[in-house]
Structures are given as C-alpha cells and as structure tokens.
C-alpha cells in the first residue's frame, strides 16, 4: 500500500514559508482533529462523546471501586471537561451510578454499571482497530520515537 503524505502547507493551503516551530504546532493541531474525528466515528453509533468514553475507562480502571469527582477530573485527558455534566449524561444512559459517600456527605462517588462495562467491552476492539489504523503508517521504532518526541515536546520548562 502506497501512503500519500500531505505536507501541512498543502493541508492549510499556504503559499508562504512556515518556520519549523509553527509547522509542529499546526501539524499537532491538524493531527489531533483527524484523530478526534475518526475516534468520534467509532463512538457515534453508541451515542457517546470522547469525554464520556474517557470517564467510563477511568471508572473501569477502578476495578469495582467507586471514584469521586476529583479522581475522575484529575485523570481526564481533557482537563477542562465538565465532569458533573458528563456524569449526569452517563447516569441518564444507566452507564454509571452516583451516590453520596457515607463517610463524607460532601463527597460524591461514581461507579460504572454492568451496562457500562459491557459497552466498553464491545467498544474495545473497535477502539483498538482505530488506533492501529493510525499506527499502520509507522514501524515500531517510529512509534516509540514519536511517543518520546511528543512527550518531550509537551513538557514545557
């Protein structure tokens, strides 16, 4: 399979020279949009947003233990997500339960339901397939290198 690689200048239809620092930012932003669009296509038939999916994954990772809102918020990929609103939507879909903590009445505990676990189980292979779709253009060494570079790039001094 031949992969056609479009340069960022072609994607944004720029005729002027773009310095490397700006190209990186533009490439990351455009790539994030492409990844998000493809991921949303996977989630759309399940009436889930990426943020709702992220909450369900966090709760599954609790292995049957409830998580409070602070724990969920600090583990979210999008740190500006409205966690309360996300939990409300997942409650309406019967994918989570929410209860007041018996030891601390100000604390809300959230738990994934069996329905939520089954939904993630159904989504797991589709999400993995989506991730492999993007990884297919890179070999193992390039995948490791890209991860290393992205981690290095986002850690500001």
């Amino acid at each position: 399979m031949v992969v056609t690689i479009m340069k960022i200048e072609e994607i944004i239809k720029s005729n002027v020279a773009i310095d490397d620092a700006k190209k990186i930012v533009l490439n990351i932003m455009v790539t994030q949009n492409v990844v998000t669009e493809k991921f949303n296509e996977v989630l759309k038939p399940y009436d889930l947003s990426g943020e709702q999916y992220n909450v369900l994954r966090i709760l599954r990772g609790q292995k049957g233990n409830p998580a409070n809102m602070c724990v969920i918020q600090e583990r979210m990929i999008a740190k500006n997500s409205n966690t309360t609103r996300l939990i409300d939507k997942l409650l309406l879909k019967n994918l989570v339960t929410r209860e007041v903590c018996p030891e601390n009445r100000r604390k809300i505990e959230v738990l994934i339901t069996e329905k939520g676990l089954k939904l993630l189980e159904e989504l797991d292979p589709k999400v993995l397939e989506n991730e492999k779709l993007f990884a297919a253009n890179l070999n193992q060494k390039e995948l490791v290198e890209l991860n290393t570079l992205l981690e290095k790039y986002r850690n500001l001094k």
Side-chain angles (χ1 to χ4, degrees):
M1 178 174 97
V2 176
V3 178
T4 305
I5 299 174
M6 285 184 69
K7 297 201 174 285
I8 192 66
E9 295 88 348
E10 296 171 293
I11 293 169
I12 65 170
K13 314 246 185 284
S14 175
N15 297 324
V16 297
I18 303 172
D19 74 27
D20 288 335
K22 186 181 291 287
K23 273 189 199 182
I24 291 169
V25 171
L26 291 170
N27 264 309
I28 290 172
M29 291 169 72
V30 169
T31 302
Q32 188 232 349
N33 285 333
V34 171
V35 170
T36 300
E37 285 171 14
K38 286 288 186 198
F39 187 58
N40 287 339
E41 286 176 23
V42 172
L43 298 178
K44 188 175 181 172
Y46 299 90
D47 190 32
L48 271 186
S49 69
E51 291 86 359
Q52 290 170 357
Y53 174 80
N54 191 203
V55 169
L56 291 175
R57 293 272 318 259
I58 291 165
L59 294 173
R60 177 172 63 180
Q62 291 291 110
K63 302 192 183 328
N65 297 311
N68 65 46
M69 300 300 260
C70 291
V71 167
I72 295 168
Q73 183 65 44
E74 70 188 17
R75 293 183 185 171
M76 290 292 291
I77 292 170
K79 299 294 183 199
N80 61 350
S81 297
N82 182 336
T83 310
T84 304
R85 183 182 52 80
L86 292 171
I87 298 299
D88 288 344
K89 289 185 175 189
L90 293 170
L91 271 166
L92 290 172
K93 298 173 185 179
N94 297 314
L95 299 174
V96 300
T97 60
R98 177 175 59 194
E99 293 181 17
V100 176
C101 175
E103 294 86 38
N104 181 351
R105 308 266 314 137
R106 292 177 297 177
K107 203 169 168 184
I108 302 294
E109 294 184 330
V110 183
L111 196 61
I112 191 167
T113 63
E114 193 60 38
K115 182 178 178 184
L117 288 170
K118 281 188 171 43
L119 177 61
L120 285 180
E121 200 174 297
E122 189 176 332
L123 275 167
D124 283 344
K126 295 172 185 193
V127 170
L128 184 61
E129 184 181 325
N130 182 60
E131 291 164 355
K132 286 183 176 182
L133 174 73
F134 287 100
N137 290 336
L138 304 174
N139 64 39
Q140 187 59 41
K141 183 180 178 210
E142 290 170 327
L143 288 170
V144 170
E145 184 177 358
L146 180 58
N147 272 308
T148 302
L149 291 172
L150 288 170
E151 288 164 357
K152 187 175 180 181
Y153 185 80
R154 80 166 162 269
N155 285 297
L156 304 175
K157 290 182 180 176

